[in-house]
Amino acid sequence: MASLQFTTALMGIGLAALILYLIRRDHLYVMHGLFWVAVAAAAAVLGASPGLIDWLALRLGVAYPPALLLLLACVVLLIKALHSDMVNTRIERDVRRLNQRLAMLEADLAHKSAERPHDQDLL
């Protein structure tokens, strides 16, 4: 059992180190990375002390502690998916607005450049 605890804790620490490396190399946005570091830290803590999930399941009235762990994992992934959808929606909205502004600026520039040769002929 001790080797399983060690392996799980080591995997959590390794995941945290990988995430910090990705943040440092600018392959992962800092706010998203912090979320994953928190997940890795939770995995390391639960791996180091498996009695913690048993205690939590007992307090919450869950008869089978691994089911609580799976439920928590599903909830975390659901929250992450919802947050990602919110971020993608905001980005798509901003891109659409930028495209509209660019089109208006291009139309304004085309309108002004069409007026310029006419004004120079009068001089």
Side-chain angles (χ1 to χ4, degrees), residues 20-99:
L20 291 174
Y21 174 79
L22 290 173
I23 290 171
R24 201 165 146 73
R25 294 289 179 193
D26 204 23
H27 293 292
L28 185 61
Y29 184 59
V30 174
M31 295 307 292
H32 297 164
L34 291 176
F35 170 81
W36 289 114
V37 166
V39 169
V45 167
L46 290 174
S49 60
L52 185 61
I53 195 71
D54 294 332
W55 177 82
L56 188 59
L58 180 66
R59 295 289 178 223
L60 294 176
V62 177
Y64 187 60
L68 176 64
L69 189 59
L70 291 175
L71 177 66
L72 290 175
C74 288
V75 168
V76 166
L77 292 176
L78 180 68
I79 290 170
K80 182 62 179 166
L82 179 63
H83 180 261
S84 293
D85 283 347
M86 289 169 50
V87 168
N88 286 339
T89 300
R90 183 178 43 102
I91 289 171
E92 288 174 6
R93 183 190 64 226
D94 291 346
V95 167
R96 189 176 346 109
R97 287 180 182 169
L98 285 173
N99 282 335

Side-chain angles (χ1 to χ4, degrees), residues 115-123:
E115 288 179 353
R116 239 184 226 150
H118 179 57
D119 291 341
Q120 289 177 354
D121 289 341
L122 294 176
L123 294 176

